[in-house]
Amino acid sequence: MAVINIDPVLGPPVNPPGLLAVPVDPELDLFKEIERLKKEKNAVLLAHYYQDADIQDVADFIGDSLGLAQEAARTKADMIVFAGVHFMAETAKILNPDKKGLLPDLNAGCSLADSAPAPLFRAFKDRYPDHLVISYINCTAEIKALSDIICTSSNAQKIIESLPADQKIIFAPDKNLGAYLIKKTGREMVLWNGSCMVHEIFSRQKITALKARYPNAKFIAHPECEDQVLRMADFIGSTTALLNFTKKDLSREYIVGTESGILHQMQLASPNKLFIPAPPDTNCACNDCPHMKLNTLEKLYLCMEYEIPEIMMEQHLLEAARKPIERMLEISRQYGL
Ligand code: 13P
Ligand code: SF4
């Protein structure tokens, strides 16, 4: 391996915007190294279910967006390393302004968060002055700061139902989750026109063909999927809800309509069951989130070793974005979520 001289002032070489350009010794046991760094730096490693299996295996906590935000809110660690996408690491930082928040690759964004630019959303919101804004956690800190309450797919229904029946609501940025929640709650909501590039491309036709091939398989899906796909589902829920369903349900075969990373935990929890990733409308057999999959074990190791890339935010934005997240955590506590 090439020897890299780390500049004591400038630090390690960085590729804009924030990816470390340091080669990793292929013989290094990265699992061991990451465990060592966690202890040395009193760091907690949080990973979303959509991460690669090896990252999930080395994480301290694996969860859906709500579970990870709750874990970030309660951690006593000095450093939070987030194996997920930018809005997740940003949320952890907002909840822990005095801790160091790291994301292995700052390019790990989210099509849903990108679909709601703050200036456009502000203008949209201004058209509905008597509406309360509920935003899905998959949005930027700027959108959070323009929102009254944040929600995730685990608690959105409860949060909407906790509001007075005559309360007018804007729901952003996911139109598919919004449409699903309108159906579930019977509430009228004004929807922002955003969507997830992963959940929007499941092929109804290919799922139908899979169902014919595996007639005993249940089709389970995430509510970010389009209505035409959700209508085929035997069960709909957040990633944690889908995982819990497969643990308790008595079927032995499942077609899983969400990002394929979740199959790792499903298979670990139920080794004798068959999990088939629902195919997208492309030539691929399973559906990966290209943003989530930017994180690798190597990048994770480098980011913990050199403590970059770090999530940096302006104080006023941190404070404005924290209020609606804390409101979500408070309502979730009240409902035991
Ligand atoms: P949950 O983590 O709430 O299931 O959402 C899935 C997702 O798309 C995260 O980016
Ligand atoms: Fe965003 Fe969809 Fe990827 Fe989740 S799966 S991070 S919502 S693009």
PDB file of all heavy atoms in Angstrom, residues 121 124 127-128 131 134 160 169-182 187-194:
ATOM      1  N   PHE A 121     -40.427  25.255  -1.910  1.00  0.00           N
ATOM      2  CA  PHE A 121     -41.345  24.771  -0.876  1.00  0.00           C
ATOM      3  C   PHE A 121     -41.897  25.938  -0.046  1.00  0.00           C
ATOM      4  O   PHE A 121     -43.071  25.948   0.328  1.00  0.00           O
ATOM      5  CB  PHE A 121     -40.666  23.731   0.023  1.00  0.00           C
ATOM      6  CG  PHE A 121     -41.622  23.111   0.986  1.00  0.00           C
ATOM      7  CD1 PHE A 121     -42.609  22.236   0.548  1.00  0.00           C
ATOM      8  CD2 PHE A 121     -41.587  23.435   2.336  1.00  0.00           C
ATOM      9  CE1 PHE A 121     -43.528  21.685   1.427  1.00  0.00           C
ATOM     10  CE2 PHE A 121     -42.503  22.885   3.228  1.00  0.00           C
ATOM     11  CZ  PHE A 121     -43.468  22.001   2.773  1.00  0.00           C
ATOM     12  N   PHE A 124     -44.653  27.468  -1.971  1.00  0.00           N
ATOM     13  CA  PHE A 124     -45.801  26.543  -1.944  1.00  0.00           C
ATOM     14  C   PHE A 124     -46.546  26.669  -0.611  1.00  0.00           C
ATOM     15  O   PHE A 124     -47.766  26.817  -0.561  1.00  0.00           O
ATOM     16  CB  PHE A 124     -45.244  25.118  -2.136  1.00  0.00           C
ATOM     17  CG  PHE A 124     -46.240  24.008  -2.059  1.00  0.00           C
ATOM     18  CD1 PHE A 124     -47.065  23.705  -3.137  1.00  0.00           C
ATOM     19  CD2 PHE A 124     -46.328  23.207  -0.919  1.00  0.00           C
ATOM     20  CE1 PHE A 124     -47.960  22.647  -3.077  1.00  0.00           C
ATOM     21  CE2 PHE A 124     -47.215  22.150  -0.845  1.00  0.00           C
ATOM     22  CZ  PHE A 124     -48.040  21.863  -1.926  1.00  0.00           C
ATOM     23  N   ARG A 127     -48.847  29.588  -0.020  1.00  0.00           N
ATOM     24  CA  ARG A 127     -50.183  29.554  -0.642  1.00  0.00           C
ATOM     25  C   ARG A 127     -51.232  28.955   0.290  1.00  0.00           C
ATOM     26  O   ARG A 127     -52.426  29.004   0.017  1.00  0.00           O
ATOM     27  CB  ARG A 127     -50.126  28.719  -1.932  1.00  0.00           C
ATOM     28  CG  ARG A 127     -49.477  29.495  -3.067  1.00  0.00           C
ATOM     29  CD  ARG A 127     -49.088  28.655  -4.259  1.00  0.00           C
ATOM     30  NE  ARG A 127     -50.022  27.617  -4.627  1.00  0.00           N
ATOM     31  CZ  ARG A 127     -49.688  26.500  -5.307  1.00  0.00           C
ATOM     32  NH1 ARG A 127     -48.436  26.308  -5.671  1.00  0.00           N
ATOM     33  NH2 ARG A 127     -50.587  25.597  -5.600  1.00  0.00           N
ATOM     34  N   TYR A 128     -50.785  28.331   1.384  1.00  0.00           N
ATOM     35  CA  TYR A 128     -51.719  27.660   2.317  1.00  0.00           C
ATOM     36  C   TYR A 128     -51.437  28.141   3.749  1.00  0.00           C
ATOM     37  O   TYR A 128     -50.976  27.368   4.590  1.00  0.00           O
ATOM     38  CB  TYR A 128     -51.555  26.137   2.242  1.00  0.00           C
ATOM     39  CG  TYR A 128     -51.743  25.573   0.848  1.00  0.00           C
ATOM     40  CD1 TYR A 128     -50.638  25.338   0.023  1.00  0.00           C
ATOM     41  CD2 TYR A 128     -53.019  25.298   0.354  1.00  0.00           C
ATOM     42  CE1 TYR A 128     -50.802  24.836  -1.254  1.00  0.00           C
ATOM     43  CE2 TYR A 128     -53.191  24.792  -0.928  1.00  0.00           C
ATOM     44  CZ  TYR A 128     -52.071  24.566  -1.723  1.00  0.00           C
ATOM     45  OH  TYR A 128     -52.233  24.072  -2.986  1.00  0.00           O
ATOM     46  N   HIS A 131     -52.529  26.152   6.898  1.00  0.00           N
ATOM     47  CA  HIS A 131     -52.195  24.715   6.955  1.00  0.00           C
ATOM     48  C   HIS A 131     -50.986  24.462   7.860  1.00  0.00           C
ATOM     49  O   HIS A 131     -50.056  25.272   7.909  1.00  0.00           O
ATOM     50  CB  HIS A 131     -51.859  24.181   5.560  1.00  0.00           C
ATOM     51  CG  HIS A 131     -53.069  23.965   4.692  1.00  0.00           C
ATOM     52  ND1 HIS A 131     -53.997  24.953   4.438  1.00  0.00           N
ATOM     53  CD2 HIS A 131     -53.498  22.864   4.030  1.00  0.00           C
ATOM     54  CE1 HIS A 131     -54.943  24.474   3.653  1.00  0.00           C
ATOM     55  NE2 HIS A 131     -54.668  23.210   3.384  1.00  0.00           N
ATOM     56  N   ILE A 134     -46.621  18.949   7.841  1.00  0.00           N
ATOM     57  CA  ILE A 134     -46.003  17.703   8.320  1.00  0.00           C
ATOM     58  C   ILE A 134     -45.041  17.251   7.229  1.00  0.00           C
ATOM     59  O   ILE A 134     -45.444  17.034   6.087  1.00  0.00           O
ATOM     60  CB  ILE A 134     -47.049  16.591   8.574  1.00  0.00           C
ATOM     61  CG1 ILE A 134     -48.096  17.062   9.584  1.00  0.00           C
ATOM     62  CG2 ILE A 134     -46.356  15.327   9.080  1.00  0.00           C
ATOM     63  CD1 ILE A 134     -49.135  16.001   9.927  1.00  0.00           C
ATOM     64  N   ILE A 160     -50.631  12.217  12.267  1.00  0.00           N
ATOM     65  CA  ILE A 160     -51.763  12.879  11.600  1.00  0.00           C
ATOM     66  C   ILE A 160     -53.024  12.727  12.465  1.00  0.00           C
ATOM     67  O   ILE A 160     -53.760  13.687  12.698  1.00  0.00           O
ATOM     68  CB  ILE A 160     -51.973  12.284  10.186  1.00  0.00           C
ATOM     69  CG1 ILE A 160     -50.788  12.670   9.293  1.00  0.00           C
ATOM     70  CG2 ILE A 160     -53.298  12.745   9.579  1.00  0.00           C
ATOM     71  CD1 ILE A 160     -50.676  11.885   8.013  1.00  0.00           C
ATOM     72  N   ILE A 169     -53.773  20.350   6.571  1.00  0.00           N
ATOM     73  CA  ILE A 169     -52.391  19.818   6.588  1.00  0.00           C
ATOM     74  C   ILE A 169     -51.764  19.857   5.196  1.00  0.00           C
ATOM     75  O   ILE A 169     -52.394  19.475   4.203  1.00  0.00           O
ATOM     76  CB  ILE A 169     -52.399  18.345   7.086  1.00  0.00           C
ATOM     77  CG1 ILE A 169     -52.950  18.257   8.510  1.00  0.00           C
ATOM     78  CG2 ILE A 169     -50.988  17.734   7.013  1.00  0.00           C
ATOM     79  CD1 ILE A 169     -53.210  16.818   8.981  1.00  0.00           C
ATOM     80  N   ILE A 170     -50.501  20.288   5.158  1.00  0.00           N
ATOM     81  CA  ILE A 170     -49.648  20.070   3.971  1.00  0.00           C
ATOM     82  C   ILE A 170     -48.775  18.882   4.332  1.00  0.00           C
ATOM     83  O   ILE A 170     -48.181  18.851   5.419  1.00  0.00           O
ATOM     84  CB  ILE A 170     -48.725  21.279   3.694  1.00  0.00           C
ATOM     85  CG1 ILE A 170     -49.515  22.499   3.248  1.00  0.00           C
ATOM     86  CG2 ILE A 170     -47.657  20.918   2.652  1.00  0.00           C
ATOM     87  CD1 ILE A 170     -48.653  23.761   3.079  1.00  0.00           C
ATOM     88  N   PHE A 171     -48.676  17.898   3.434  1.00  0.00           N
ATOM     89  CA  PHE A 171     -47.772  16.772   3.672  1.00  0.00           C
ATOM     90  C   PHE A 171     -46.687  16.799   2.590  1.00  0.00           C
ATOM     91  O   PHE A 171     -46.981  16.817   1.395  1.00  0.00           O
ATOM     92  CB  PHE A 171     -48.519  15.432   3.646  1.00  0.00           C
ATOM     93  CG  PHE A 171     -47.638  14.274   4.039  1.00  0.00           C
ATOM     94  CD1 PHE A 171     -47.460  13.948   5.381  1.00  0.00           C
ATOM     95  CD2 PHE A 171     -46.952  13.542   3.082  1.00  0.00           C
ATOM     96  CE1 PHE A 171     -46.618  12.915   5.751  1.00  0.00           C
ATOM     97  CE2 PHE A 171     -46.109  12.495   3.446  1.00  0.00           C
ATOM     98  CZ  PHE A 171     -45.950  12.179   4.784  1.00  0.00           C
ATOM     99  N   ALA A 172     -45.425  16.758   3.032  1.00  0.00           N
ATOM    100  CA  ALA A 172     -44.298  16.831   2.086  1.00  0.00           C
ATOM    101  C   ALA A 172     -43.195  15.874   2.538  1.00  0.00           C
ATOM    102  O   ALA A 172     -43.140  15.509   3.698  1.00  0.00           O
ATOM    103  CB  ALA A 172     -43.765  18.260   2.045  1.00  0.00           C
ATOM    104  N   PRO A 173     -42.236  15.482   1.699  1.00  0.00           N
ATOM    105  CA  PRO A 173     -42.262  15.709   0.255  1.00  0.00           C
ATOM    106  C   PRO A 173     -42.782  14.507  -0.537  1.00  0.00           C
ATOM    107  O   PRO A 173     -42.840  14.579  -1.751  1.00  0.00           O
ATOM    108  CB  PRO A 173     -40.786  15.959  -0.077  1.00  0.00           C
ATOM    109  CG  PRO A 173     -40.011  15.164   0.931  1.00  0.00           C
ATOM    110  CD  PRO A 173     -40.895  15.047   2.149  1.00  0.00           C
ATOM    111  N   ASP A 174     -43.166  13.395   0.113  1.00  0.00           N
ATOM    112  CA  ASP A 174     -43.465  12.168  -0.642  1.00  0.00           C
ATOM    113  C   ASP A 174     -44.949  12.040  -0.987  1.00  0.00           C
ATOM    114  O   ASP A 174     -45.782  11.761  -0.118  1.00  0.00           O
ATOM    115  CB  ASP A 174     -43.009  10.942   0.164  1.00  0.00           C
ATOM    116  CG  ASP A 174     -43.079   9.659  -0.658  1.00  0.00           C
ATOM    117  OD1 ASP A 174     -43.587   9.706  -1.797  1.00  0.00           O
ATOM    118  OD2 ASP A 174     -42.629   8.614  -0.173  1.00  0.00           O
ATOM    119  N   LYS A 175     -45.260  12.200  -2.267  1.00  0.00           N
ATOM    120  CA  LYS A 175     -46.671  12.128  -2.695  1.00  0.00           C
ATOM    121  C   LYS A 175     -47.240  10.713  -2.535  1.00  0.00           C
ATOM    122  O   LYS A 175     -48.433  10.543  -2.299  1.00  0.00           O
ATOM    123  CB  LYS A 175     -46.818  12.598  -4.146  1.00  0.00           C
ATOM    124  CG  LYS A 175     -46.097  11.724  -5.147  1.00  0.00           C
ATOM    125  CD  LYS A 175     -46.341  12.145  -6.574  1.00  0.00           C
ATOM    126  CE  LYS A 175     -45.519  11.255  -7.489  1.00  0.00           C
ATOM    127  NZ  LYS A 175     -45.514  11.612  -8.857  1.00  0.00           N
ATOM    128  N   ASN A 176     -46.392   9.694  -2.663  1.00  0.00           N
ATOM    129  CA  ASN A 176     -46.902   8.316  -2.540  1.00  0.00           C
ATOM    130  C   ASN A 176     -47.257   7.988  -1.097  1.00  0.00           C
ATOM    131  O   ASN A 176     -48.339   7.459  -0.814  1.00  0.00           O
ATOM    132  CB  ASN A 176     -45.880   7.305  -3.080  1.00  0.00           C
ATOM    133  CG  ASN A 176     -45.697   7.427  -4.571  1.00  0.00           C
ATOM    134  OD1 ASN A 176     -46.666   7.631  -5.303  1.00  0.00           O
ATOM    135  ND2 ASN A 176     -44.469   7.340  -5.034  1.00  0.00           N
ATOM    136  N   LEU A 177     -46.346   8.318  -0.181  1.00  0.00           N
ATOM    137  CA  LEU A 177     -46.651   8.117   1.240  1.00  0.00           C
ATOM    138  C   LEU A 177     -47.853   8.982   1.626  1.00  0.00           C
ATOM    139  O   LEU A 177     -48.751   8.533   2.357  1.00  0.00           O
ATOM    140  CB  LEU A 177     -45.425   8.469   2.102  1.00  0.00           C
ATOM    141  CG  LEU A 177     -45.608   8.372   3.608  1.00  0.00           C
ATOM    142  CD1 LEU A 177     -45.953   6.955   4.063  1.00  0.00           C
ATOM    143  CD2 LEU A 177     -44.345   8.848   4.349  1.00  0.00           C
ATOM    144  N   GLY A 178     -47.890  10.213   1.105  1.00  0.00           N
ATOM    145  CA  GLY A 178     -49.004  11.120   1.400  1.00  0.00           C
ATOM    146  C   GLY A 178     -50.333  10.528   0.948  1.00  0.00           C
ATOM    147  O   GLY A 178     -51.316  10.539   1.698  1.00  0.00           O
ATOM    148  N   ALA A 179     -50.363   9.984  -0.278  1.00  0.00           N
ATOM    149  CA  ALA A 179     -51.608   9.410  -0.814  1.00  0.00           C
ATOM    150  C   ALA A 179     -52.028   8.202   0.034  1.00  0.00           C
ATOM    151  O   ALA A 179     -53.220   8.007   0.326  1.00  0.00           O
ATOM    152  CB  ALA A 179     -51.408   9.003  -2.262  1.00  0.00           C
ATOM    153  N   TYR A 180     -51.048   7.416   0.445  1.00  0.00           N
ATOM    154  CA  TYR A 180     -51.332   6.251   1.296  1.00  0.00           C
ATOM    155  C   TYR A 180     -51.930   6.716   2.643  1.00  0.00           C
ATOM    156  O   TYR A 180     -52.908   6.136   3.134  1.00  0.00           O
ATOM    157  CB  TYR A 180     -50.029   5.464   1.512  1.00  0.00           C
ATOM    158  CG  TYR A 180     -50.110   4.397   2.560  1.00  0.00           C
ATOM    159  CD1 TYR A 180     -50.795   3.198   2.324  1.00  0.00           C
ATOM    160  CD2 TYR A 180     -49.492   4.566   3.812  1.00  0.00           C
ATOM    161  CE1 TYR A 180     -50.867   2.220   3.301  1.00  0.00           C
ATOM    162  CE2 TYR A 180     -49.564   3.582   4.782  1.00  0.00           C
ATOM    163  CZ  TYR A 180     -50.253   2.413   4.526  1.00  0.00           C
ATOM    164  OH  TYR A 180     -50.332   1.444   5.485  1.00  0.00           O
ATOM    165  N   LEU A 181     -51.381   7.796   3.187  1.00  0.00           N
ATOM    166  CA  LEU A 181     -51.861   8.285   4.488  1.00  0.00           C
ATOM    167  C   LEU A 181     -53.252   8.912   4.372  1.00  0.00           C
ATOM    168  O   LEU A 181     -54.062   8.807   5.303  1.00  0.00           O
ATOM    169  CB  LEU A 181     -50.857   9.299   5.060  1.00  0.00           C
ATOM    170  CG  LEU A 181     -49.528   8.675   5.500  1.00  0.00           C
ATOM    171  CD1 LEU A 181     -48.464   9.754   5.715  1.00  0.00           C
ATOM    172  CD2 LEU A 181     -49.707   7.836   6.776  1.00  0.00           C
ATOM    173  N   ILE A 182     -53.533   9.529   3.242  1.00  0.00           N
ATOM    174  CA  ILE A 182     -54.885  10.077   3.026  1.00  0.00           C
ATOM    175  C   ILE A 182     -55.884   8.921   3.073  1.00  0.00           C
ATOM    176  O   ILE A 182     -56.927   8.989   3.715  1.00  0.00           O
ATOM    177  CB  ILE A 182     -54.960  10.840   1.676  1.00  0.00           C
ATOM    178  CG1 ILE A 182     -54.178  12.152   1.781  1.00  0.00           C
ATOM    179  CG2 ILE A 182     -56.412  11.096   1.268  1.00  0.00           C
ATOM    180  CD1 ILE A 182     -54.048  12.935   0.478  1.00  0.00           C
ATOM    181  N   ARG A 187     -58.089  11.737   5.965  1.00  0.00           N
ATOM    182  CA  ARG A 187     -57.886  13.189   6.061  1.00  0.00           C
ATOM    183  C   ARG A 187     -57.499  13.763   4.711  1.00  0.00           C
ATOM    184  O   ARG A 187     -56.705  13.165   3.989  1.00  0.00           O
ATOM    185  CB  ARG A 187     -56.746  13.495   7.055  1.00  0.00           C
ATOM    186  CG  ARG A 187     -56.977  12.986   8.450  1.00  0.00           C
ATOM    187  CD  ARG A 187     -57.916  13.871   9.203  1.00  0.00           C
ATOM    188  NE  ARG A 187     -57.300  15.131   9.543  1.00  0.00           N
ATOM    189  CZ  ARG A 187     -56.872  15.432  10.769  1.00  0.00           C
ATOM    190  NH1 ARG A 187     -56.974  14.562  11.748  1.00  0.00           N
ATOM    191  NH2 ARG A 187     -56.348  16.612  11.014  1.00  0.00           N
ATOM    192  N   GLU A 188     -58.058  14.931   4.403  1.00  0.00           N
ATOM    193  CA  GLU A 188     -57.619  15.647   3.201  1.00  0.00           C
ATOM    194  C   GLU A 188     -56.249  16.241   3.495  1.00  0.00           C
ATOM    195  O   GLU A 188     -56.043  16.816   4.562  1.00  0.00           O
ATOM    196  CB  GLU A 188     -58.604  16.787   2.903  1.00  0.00           C
ATOM    197  CG  GLU A 188     -59.803  16.359   2.093  1.00  0.00           C
ATOM    198  CD  GLU A 188     -59.420  15.743   0.753  1.00  0.00           C
ATOM    199  OE1 GLU A 188     -58.559  16.310   0.074  1.00  0.00           O
ATOM    200  OE2 GLU A 188     -59.978  14.682   0.416  1.00  0.00           O
ATOM    201  N   MET A 189     -55.298  16.103   2.618  1.00  0.00           N
ATOM    202  CA  MET A 189     -54.008  16.776   2.823  1.00  0.00           C
ATOM    203  C   MET A 189     -53.548  17.339   1.488  1.00  0.00           C
ATOM    204  O   MET A 189     -53.792  16.739   0.437  1.00  0.00           O
ATOM    205  CB  MET A 189     -52.959  15.793   3.348  1.00  0.00           C
ATOM    206  CG  MET A 189     -53.273  15.215   4.732  1.00  0.00           C
ATOM    207  SD  MET A 189     -51.823  14.475   5.527  1.00  0.00           S
ATOM    208  CE  MET A 189     -51.530  13.038   4.507  1.00  0.00           C
ATOM    209  N   VAL A 190     -52.877  18.469   1.531  1.00  0.00           N
ATOM    210  CA  VAL A 190     -52.258  19.017   0.321  1.00  0.00           C
ATOM    211  C   VAL A 190     -50.894  18.351   0.207  1.00  0.00           C
ATOM    212  O   VAL A 190     -50.112  18.354   1.159  1.00  0.00           O
ATOM    213  CB  VAL A 190     -52.090  20.553   0.448  1.00  0.00           C
ATOM    214  CG1 VAL A 190     -51.367  21.109  -0.768  1.00  0.00           C
ATOM    215  CG2 VAL A 190     -53.441  21.225   0.637  1.00  0.00           C
ATOM    216  N   LEU A 191     -50.607  17.746  -0.958  1.00  0.00           N
ATOM    217  CA  LEU A 191     -49.370  16.976  -1.100  1.00  0.00           C
ATOM    218  C   LEU A 191     -48.336  17.704  -1.950  1.00  0.00           C
ATOM    219  O   LEU A 191     -48.676  18.286  -2.988  1.00  0.00           O
ATOM    220  CB  LEU A 191     -49.663  15.614  -1.747  1.00  0.00           C
ATOM    221  CG  LEU A 191     -50.659  14.708  -1.037  1.00  0.00           C
ATOM    222  CD1 LEU A 191     -50.779  13.381  -1.796  1.00  0.00           C
ATOM    223  CD2 LEU A 191     -50.247  14.447   0.406  1.00  0.00           C
ATOM    224  N   TRP A 192     -47.094  17.644  -1.516  1.00  0.00           N
ATOM    225  CA  TRP A 192     -45.963  18.073  -2.350  1.00  0.00           C
ATOM    226  C   TRP A 192     -45.674  16.931  -3.325  1.00  0.00           C
ATOM    227  O   TRP A 192     -45.832  15.747  -2.985  1.00  0.00           O
ATOM    228  CB  TRP A 192     -44.735  18.344  -1.477  1.00  0.00           C
ATOM    229  CG  TRP A 192     -43.524  18.757  -2.268  1.00  0.00           C
ATOM    230  CD1 TRP A 192     -42.489  17.970  -2.653  1.00  0.00           C
ATOM    231  CD2 TRP A 192     -43.236  20.065  -2.771  1.00  0.00           C
ATOM    232  NE1 TRP A 192     -41.568  18.699  -3.356  1.00  0.00           N
ATOM    233  CE2 TRP A 192     -42.000  20.001  -3.459  1.00  0.00           C
ATOM    234  CE3 TRP A 192     -43.904  21.309  -2.711  1.00  0.00           C
ATOM    235  CZ2 TRP A 192     -41.411  21.094  -4.073  1.00  0.00           C
ATOM    236  CZ3 TRP A 192     -43.302  22.409  -3.332  1.00  0.00           C
ATOM    237  CH2 TRP A 192     -42.080  22.288  -3.993  1.00  0.00           C
ATOM    238  N   ASN A 193     -45.224  17.296  -4.534  1.00  0.00           N
ATOM    239  CA  ASN A 193     -45.085  16.294  -5.602  1.00  0.00           C
ATOM    240  C   ASN A 193     -43.679  15.653  -5.636  1.00  0.00           C
ATOM    241  O   ASN A 193     -42.970  15.764  -6.629  1.00  0.00           O
ATOM    242  CB  ASN A 193     -45.409  16.973  -6.944  1.00  0.00           C
ATOM    243  CG  ASN A 193     -45.469  15.977  -8.077  1.00  0.00           C
ATOM    244  OD1 ASN A 193     -45.580  14.778  -7.847  1.00  0.00           O
ATOM    245  ND2 ASN A 193     -45.369  16.468  -9.294  1.00  0.00           N
ATOM    246  N   GLY A 194     -43.280  14.995  -4.548  1.00  0.00           N
ATOM    247  CA  GLY A 194     -41.961  14.350  -4.535  1.00  0.00           C
ATOM    248  C   GLY A 194     -42.101  12.841  -4.462  1.00  0.00           C
ATOM    249  O   GLY A 194     -43.174  12.312  -4.154  1.00  0.00           O
TER     250      GLY A 194
END
